[in-house]
């Protein structure tokens, strides 16, 4: 599960890779192998082997420091990437602008696998990223830093560059936290032009001690803490689309166990996983753009989705025109944040069901996301006789909106879309 270092081998490889200019065609044939950052005065702090329980804390610490982190995820290693907690943590870190990349499905030594097995290990991560966040990863960090020509060419065929590192905190190799800190001091004292630093998201001491130490140290020394893509001056992803609806197929059951490869009872996947592109803007956008949705009782109160995440609540709060209040009506769905839809939680028809937002493809939404606006200004859940309802008639900021049986003339169910 941990990464060991073959630094000298790697440095030799870098020398070879960086020794030759790469044309675009060569790049397609053989992926770029990045060990170092390229930009001056930038440091990329990178975290392998998650997602795990410290992801959110590391994400928050970077965000608070105005810094960006890079996470190299496995699908099935310390945890299953489809654990609902991990799904929401990943979406959280992505929304915060941190970079996500592949560390293979099960953390095998890819250089010992067949090409088919390598394909499978990369495919499963592409599928997870497509499902959970709607991105195509552009970077692979091979476990243990081990790769051979097969790893390089399969990664290239799948559009991924290899990202190694040039400093290792040793946090997964038995270094004490004090030793890891000393290593960070070495980097700072060496006044390096840039650095690409390896550490591990799954280590508690890394999350609680090393991260705050590194953020403070490198900021004091005047470095910018950026993603790997940024310090290389390249795009972090091959494509950005929309995430998918979770389903029972989102599981690590029947997929390679930690350290294992496909084969036997586990079919090897070598194709391209389903990817949902962002819905294209209609060529004749309805007169709208984004609208505010206000309860009839108050022109200064707006329907708001304060949290851009699956399951985020829908409340009323003072209108301020922010993204959380900007709703686009596309067909029968109300979209906020570009790819989140107004959604009846769990499709429940019970009176008092609270509304949420959930990622969606407005072109093929499920039934819980379909609403029509009536002439009496009700927002009706299509086919259910239920209407959006201002809970208890309260305009208090944060009051969660519900559905209730449609009642004509009920002011709590009248909304102005402006
Ligand atoms: C452990 O930390 C020391 C610095 O204290 C560093 O020289 C060494 O490279 C680290 N070990 C690993 C495996 O990175
Ligand atoms: C607008 O209001 C929402 C909900 O209260 C809040 O989350 C957001 O930070 C506000 N934005 C601005 C720019 O004031
Ligand atoms: C929901 O509320 C309406 C009117 O307020 C009531 O007539 C109806 O029976 C309620 N439905 C359920 C399932 O409780």
């Amino acid at each position: 599960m941990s990464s060991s270092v073959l630094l000298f081998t790697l440095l030799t490889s870098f020398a070879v890779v960086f020794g030759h200019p790469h044309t675009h065609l060569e790049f397609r044939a053989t992926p770029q192998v990045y060990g170092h950052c390229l930009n001056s005065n930038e440091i990329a702090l990178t975290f392998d082997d998650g997602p795990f329980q410290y992801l959110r804390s590391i994400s928050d610490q970077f965000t608070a420091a105005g810094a960006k982190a890079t996470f190299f995820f496995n699908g099935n290693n310390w945890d299953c990437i489809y654990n609902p907690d991990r799904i929401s943590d990943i979406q959280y870190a992505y929304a915060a602008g941190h970079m996500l990349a592949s560390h293979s499905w099960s953390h095998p030594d890819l250089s010992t696998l067949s090409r088919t097995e390598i394909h499978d290990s990369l495919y499963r991560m592409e599928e997870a990223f497509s499902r959970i966040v709607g991105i195509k990863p552009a970077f692979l960090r091979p476990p243990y830093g081990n790769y051979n020509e097969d790893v390089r060419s399969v990664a290239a065929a799948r559009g991924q560059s290899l990202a190694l590192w040039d400093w290792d905190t040793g946090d997964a190799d038995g270094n004490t936290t004090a030793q890891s800190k000393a290593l960070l001091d070495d980097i700072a004292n060496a006044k390096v032009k840039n650095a690409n630093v390896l550490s591990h998201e799954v280590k508690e001491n890394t999350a609680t001690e090393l991260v705050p130490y590194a953020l403070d140290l490198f900021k004091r020394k005047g470095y910018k803490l950026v993603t790997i893509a940024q310090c290389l001056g390249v795009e972090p992803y091959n494509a950005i689309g929309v995430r998918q609806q979770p389903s029972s197929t989102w599981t690590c059951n029947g997929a390679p166990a930690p350290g294992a490869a496909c084969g036997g009872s586990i079919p090897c996947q070598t194709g391209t996983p389903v990817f949902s592109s962002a819905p294209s803007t209609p060529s004749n956008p309805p007169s709208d753009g984004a609208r505010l949705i206000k309860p009839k009782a108050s022109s200064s109160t707006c329907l708001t989705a304060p949290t851009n995440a699956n399951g985020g609540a829908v409340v009323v709060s003072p209108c301020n025109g922010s993204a959380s209040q900007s709703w686009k009506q596309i067909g029968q769905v109300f979209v906020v944040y570009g790819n989140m839809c107004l959604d009846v939680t769990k499709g429940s028809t019970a009176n008092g069901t609270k509304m949420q937002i959930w990622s969606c493809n407005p072109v093929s939404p499920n039934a819980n996301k379909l609403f029509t606006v009536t002439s009496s200004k009700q927002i009706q859940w299509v086919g259910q006789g239920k209407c959006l309802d201002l809970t208890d008639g309260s305009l208090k900021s944060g009051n969660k909106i519900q559905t209730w049986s449609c009642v004509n003339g009920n002011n709590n169910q009248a909304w102005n879309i402006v």
Side-chain angles (χ1 to χ4, degrees):
M1 289 194 185
S2 65
S3 292
S4 67
V5 193
L6 298 167
L7 202 50
F8 288 114
T9 325
L10 294 177
L11 287 171
T12 316
S13 318
F14 298 163
V16 171
V17 169
F18 290 132
H20 299 281
H22 279 256
T23 66
H24 193 58
L25 284 176
E26 275 175 323
F27 171 79
R28 282 168 164 262
T30 316
Q32 182 61 276
V33 180
Y34 296 110
H36 310 290
C37 287
L38 298 178
N39 292 341
S40 292
N41 214 40
E42 292 187 349
I43 291 184
L45 298 175
T46 70
F47 299 87
D48 288 9
D49 294 0
F52 198 51
Q53 57 183 327
Y54 309 115
L55 175 55
R56 205 173 268 256
S57 150
I58 295 175
S59 170
D60 282 344
Q61 293 181 65
F62 272 75
T63 302
K68 294 282 188 272
T70 305
F71 297 98
F72 289 95
F73 289 145
N74 295 123
N76 199 10
N77 189 10
W78 284 66
D79 199 350
C80 171
I81 197 166
Y82 294 124
N83 173 339
D85 288 341
R86 300 294 82 83
I87 290 175
S88 76
D89 291 349
I90 291 168
Q91 291 170 342
Y92 182 86
Y94 177 71
H98 305 302
M99 177 175 156
L100 314 184
S102 173
H103 193 37
S104 81
W105 174 258
S106 58
H107 206 282
D109 179 344
L110 292 172
S111 69
T112 67
L113 302 189
S114 71
R115 290 180 62 87
T116 299
E117 290 166 337
I118 298 167
H119 267 290
D120 179 85
S121 198
L122 273 53
Y123 170 98
R124 290 178 193 274
M125 287 313 294
E126 290 166 27
E127 181 177 62
F129 281 123
S130 171
R131 286 170 166 175
I132 295 170
V133 271
I135 56 168
K136 290 187 183 176
F139 286 90
L140 167 70
R141 176 171 279 167
Y144 314 103
N146 288 353
Y147 64 94
N148 57 16
E149 272 314 303
D150 282 341
V151 175
R152 288 177 66 143
S153 64
V154 170
R158 307 194 71 91
Q160 292 170 41
S161 300
L162 302 190
L164 300 162
W165 60 89
D166 52 14
W167 297 87
D168 181 358
T169 59
D171 63 342
D173 292 320
N175 256 11
T176 62
T177 304
Q179 284 172 313
S180 295
K181 286 179 179 171
L183 187 277
L184 297 175
D185 289 335
D186 288 347
I187 301 174
N189 293 335
K191 297 196 166 64
V192 293
K193 176 182 162 199
N194 53 40
N196 167 4
V197 183
L198 169 65
S199 51
H200 293 79
E201 184 203 313
V202 298
K203 296 286 168 183
E204 183 175 4
N205 284 352
T206 295
T208 58
E209 292 193 51
L210 217 49
V211 164
Y213 189 82
L215 290 170
D216 174 67
L217 173 68
F218 293 128
K219 278 181 70 181
R220 263 193 293 114
K221 298 285 180 179
Y223 286 101
K224 227 175 133 183
L225 293 162
V226 302
T227 66
I228 286 236
Q230 180 166 344
C231 80
L232 292 169
V234 300
E235 291 295 326
Y237 308 117
N238 288 326
I240 298 177
V242 292
R243 62 207 204 197
Q244 297 163 31
Q245 293 283 357
S247 83
S248 58
T249 62
W250 292 28
T251 173
C252 289
N253 296 334
C262 67
S265 64
I266 301 176
C268 294
Q269 309 285 344
T270 57
T272 307
V274 171
F275 184 80
S276 304
S277 298
S280 56
T281 323
S283 51
N284 270 330
S287 60
D288 57 39
R291 306 282 191 86
L292 301 174
I293 303 176
K294 301 176 176 183
K296 187 179 178 191
S298 166
S299 64
S300 60
T301 303
C302 279
L303 196 69
T304 309
T307 308
N308 181 3
N310 280 344
V314 178
V315 303
V316 283
S317 63
C319 297
N320 63 14
S322 70
S324 63
Q325 300 178 343
S326 303
W327 299 88
K328 254 189 190 168
Q329 214 180 338
I330 303 179
Q332 294 185 315
V333 297
F334 284 91
V335 181
V336 67
Y337 298 117
N339 66 343
M340 305 295 282
C341 286
L342 185 67
D343 181 275
V344 180
T345 303
K346 298 204 166 109
S348 167
T349 54
N351 284 336
T353 298
K354 298 294 181 285
M355 302 300 300
Q356 63 179 10
I357 56 170
W358 202 275
S359 66
C360 61
N361 182 347
V363 177
S364 54
N366 72 16
N368 305 340
K369 302 184 175 58
L370 301 179
F371 300 88
T372 51
V373 181
T374 70
S375 55
S376 53
K377 302 194 171 181
Q378 288 173 324
I379 300 180
Q380 261 186 17
W381 182 14
V382 170
Q384 302 288 348
K386 297 280 166 180
C387 282
L388 220 61
D389 183 292
L390 180 64
T391 307
D392 300 323
S394 166
L395 294 168
K396 191 162 176 258
S397 182
N399 181 28
K400 290 185 181 165
I401 298 310
Q402 63 187 9
T403 52
W404 201 275
S405 291
C406 300
V407 179
N408 268 332
N410 181 338
N411 276 347
N412 295 343
Q413 298 182 351
W415 301 87
N416 290 313
I417 303 178
V418 298

